[in-house]
Amino acid sequence: MKKKYRRAVCFTLIGIPYIITLPFICIGWLMEKLASGLWNYSEWLKTKLRVYDYDLD
């Protein structure tokens, strides 16, 4: 097998699966960042909406 064909086969075997899985990896990373951001927002919101019981019955 010629060297240029060997390089093309290597690119095909490694590059094509990488190109196919890259969008899923990016979407997973974005969802992880979104989830951590929502968790931080919910913790902040809990501190702002805390209910204090001042009823001294």
Side-chain angles (χ1 to χ4, degrees):
M1 183 181 292
K2 292 185 179 179
K3 192 171 187 175
K4 66 177 182 178
Y5 296 126
R6 203 175 318 145
R7 196 173 300 139
V9 168
C10 181
F11 173 76
T12 302
L13 292 177
I14 294 172
I16 300 299
Y18 178 74
I19 291 170
I20 292 171
T21 58
L22 187 63
F24 297 106
I25 293 170
C26 291
I27 290 171
W29 181 77
L30 287 173
M31 291 298 165
E32 183 181 349
K33 293 298 177 188
L34 179 66
S36 67
L38 287 176
W39 179 258
N40 292 338
Y41 178 72
S42 69
E43 292 296 320
W44 174 80
L45 199 57
K46 282 181 192 175
T47 61
K48 298 299 176 195
L49 299 178
R50 188 175 294 145
V51 176
Y52 297 101
D53 190 12
Y54 292 122
D55 191 13
L56 301 174
D57 287 344

